[in-house]
Amino acid sequence: MNQQLLAKTFVELADNLVADFDLIDFLRLLTDRCVSMLDASAAGVLLADRDGKLRVMAASDEEVRLLELFQLQNDEGPCLECFGTGAPVIVPDLTREAGRWPRFVTAAHRSGFGAVQALPMRLRAETVGALNLFRAAPGPFDASATLVAQALADVATISLLQQRSAHRSTALNEQLQTALNSRVLIEQAKGKLAERQSIDMERAFTALRGYARAHNRRLSDVARAFIDDSEPLPGLMA
């Protein structure tokens, strides 16, 4: 494990008390670093909205985003169970859980995943979501990597709750609802850019995110400008 990258990640996840905090980009950083540092093929984050319903907020790639959506639409899977109980759900071999989550296991295998662990994003009694790590090959998860993943989830959760404390006039649920609205904009922009450039959705997201970071702008603002054609975005369509 890259210790320098791990330390940098903890700092980045903790350093979010800024006016232009971008929740979508923050959570995508969490999933990307889990994949790059831990024994995971893909990662996703689900957070509860104002009604307590889980929503897909970030995914390391399009395949796992669709699998997370499938899980929510069919109301079964380890991530939902993790959120409901507030406890980790670790499944080294999904084949053995076909009776427990029949539709999810079939969809996971179809997406190329053989193992999953869902870790709660929880602080004391409050669970706000789940961090989900998927692996292609079945087999036991490394205990030390699981501890690191849970620590990353814990730091991210504390950061989210700190945002609520720092901006008491805006409840966390309202912030998450705003992020959900931004997520819709970003998905629309991804589709539009992918069609125009004849690229896949993941490359389209990377281009939008890279443009936003290069120009020190919020990802959702760049997405809105691209959808509306309200301003030139030089370099985005290169």
Side-chain angles (χ1 to χ4, degrees):
M1 188 181 300
N2 187 323
Q3 298 297 324
Q4 288 185 332
L5 182 59
L6 178 60
K8 180 182 178 183
T9 300
F10 276 116
V11 171
E12 289 175 320
L13 291 177
D15 184 21
N16 66 31
L17 294 178
V18 293
D20 60 347
F21 174 67
D22 190 328
L23 180 58
I24 299 296
D25 196 50
F26 170 79
L27 294 175
R28 180 59 187 254
L29 171 70
L30 174 61
T31 62
D32 286 351
R33 293 295 171 80
C34 283
V35 172
S36 63
M37 293 189 303
L38 307 176
D39 185 22
S41 304
V45 172
L46 304 180
L47 291 182
D49 65 12
R50 66 180 63 180
D51 298 318
K53 295 182 179 179
L54 285 175
R55 306 289 184 181
V56 180
M57 298 303 298
S60 61
D61 60 50
E62 189 67 11
E63 195 71 41
V64 78
R65 187 183 75 85
L66 294 175
L67 180 59
E68 297 278 43
L69 286 172
F70 180 90
Q71 185 174 189
L72 296 179
Q73 290 165 356
N74 288 273
D75 196 28
E76 69 168 44
C79 310
L80 277 77
E81 186 171 309
C82 171
F83 176 72
T85 63
V89 176
I90 300 177
V91 185
D93 188 351
L94 276 167
T95 302
R96 299 182 179 180
E97 304 297 337
R100 187 178 180 185
W101 310 304
R103 288 169 293 185
F104 172 78
V105 169
T106 299
H109 283 154
R110 191 164 52 238
S111 297
F113 301 121
V116 62
Q117 55 180 345
L119 305 173
M121 297 183 69
R122 183 192 66 225
L123 181 63
R124 301 184 183 90
E126 185 171 5
T127 303
V128 300
L131 169 64
N132 314 305
L133 307 182
F134 298 86
R135 200 176 59 202
F141 286 91
D142 180 79
S144 60
T146 298
L147 288 174
V148 170
Q150 184 63 69
L152 291 171
D154 291 344
V155 170
T157 303
I158 292 169
S159 293
L160 291 172
L161 296 176
Q162 281 180 331
Q163 276 288 316
R164 179 176 65 178
S165 297
H167 306 284
R168 293 186 181 277
S169 61
T170 303
L172 176 62
N173 285 339
E174 293 177 357
Q175 182 190 32
L176 295 184
Q177 188 61 46
T178 299
L180 281 170
N181 296 337
S182 297
R183 179 83 256 177
V184 172
L185 279 174
I186 293 165
E187 290 301 318
Q188 291 173 345
K190 279 169 54 180
K192 182 176 179 179
L193 183 59
E195 181 180 4
R196 286 194 179 182
Q197 296 286 82
S198 297
I199 57 178
D200 61 36
M201 296 284 276
E202 187 61 25
R203 287 182 62 192
F205 177 83
T206 299
L208 289 164
R209 187 189 192 195
Y211 186 94
R213 289 190 165 190
H215 293 81
N216 197 29
R217 298 184 59 179
R218 293 173 63 87
L219 180 56
S220 56
D221 291 340
V222 172
R224 181 180 292 106
F226 180 63
I227 293 169
D228 297 341
D229 289 319
S230 57
E231 63 177 277
L233 300 172
L236 179 60
M237 295 289 289

